[in-house]
Amino acid sequence: MESCLQQLREGVAIATRGMTVADLTRHPAGKWSAAEVLEHLYLTYTGTAKGLEKCLQAGRPLAGKPTLKQRLITATVVGIGYMPTGRQAPSPTLPRGMPAEHVVAEVQTQIAIMDGLLAQCELRYGNLVKLMDHPVLGPLTARQWRKFHWVHGRHHLKQIQKLRASQEPS
């Protein structure tokens, strides 16, 4: 497994270790719970995996041409490693109520599946080829997809850590 995705898997395990279903589902008013944050991440991994499967089935990359705005956002997120806050998640990645215990068990598996598909696409198309479009960042290479998921995951794992800290007795 690629190192940044391995770090992501470890981060998820550390962030959720020892959390009960009640811990995972508790949240401040108007904010996502830890389970909902994990479901959002899970949906981004499954969405990326589905796109990669389409690339492999089509026998070619499915990336478009990036706009200037997409290049700038990609440089910020993937290049610098900064995830801007306050952006609404794309609708396919909004939590839908997956049971907390299921999402905790499956999120690790989905990271591994996504990494395997990224490796297959890299082998087939090369490591410099843009594989498919991210809904905000535009076309990304396999390396860029990995870095995006690491930066995005790290951003959300900080949210889970804050939720945990707010639940701990003083």
Side-chain angles (χ1 to χ4, degrees), residues 11 15 21 31 44-45 53 59 68 86-87 103 111 140 146 150-151 164:
V21 171
K31 299 287 185 180
T44 66
Y45 307 148
E53 287 170 346
L68 178 59
R87 180 168 180 83
V103 74
I111 295 170
L140 301 175
R146 288 184 187 102
W150 179 73
V151 171
R164 270 188 96 134

Side-chain angles (χ1 to χ4, degrees), residues 58-113:
R60 64 181 175 79
L62 301 174
K65 186 173 168 102
T67 64
L68 178 59
K69 183 179 179 180
Q70 289 172 329
R71 288 176 194 220
L72 292 172
I73 296 169
T74 299
T76 302
V77 176
V78 176
I80 299 171
Y82 173 74
M83 179 62 68
T85 59
R87 180 168 180 83
Q88 176 70 25
S91 60
T93 67
L94 293 175
R96 301 173 192 142
M98 181 183 276
E101 58 278 6
H102 179 72
V103 74
V104 169
E106 290 299 315
V107 72
Q108 300 280 1
T109 302
Q110 288 306 314
I111 295 170
I113 289 169

Side-chain angles (χ1 to χ4, degrees), residues 9 18 24 107 117 128-129 139:
R9 288 183 77 191
L24 288 163
V107 72
L117 289 164
L128 300 177
V129 174

Side-chain angles (χ1 to χ4, degrees), residues 40-41 43-45 47-49 51-52 55 62-67 69-71 73-74 77-78 83-84 87-93 114 130-142 144-153 156:
H40 165 69
L41 292 173
L43 292 169
T44 66
Y45 307 148
T48 299
L52 295 167
C55 286
L62 301 174
K65 186 173 168 102
T67 64
K69 183 179 179 180
Q70 289 172 329
R71 288 176 194 220
I73 296 169
T74 299
V77 176
V78 176
M83 179 62 68
R87 180 168 180 83
Q88 176 70 25
S91 60
T93 67
M114 179 181 65
K130 307 271 187 188
L131 300 172
M132 62 181 190
D133 294 345
H134 179 278
V136 176
L137 305 180
L140 301 175
T141 65
Q144 289 173 319
W145 275 105
R146 288 184 187 102
K147 178 86 181 269
F148 161 74
H149 281 294
W150 179 73
V151 171
H152 180 246
H156 285 299

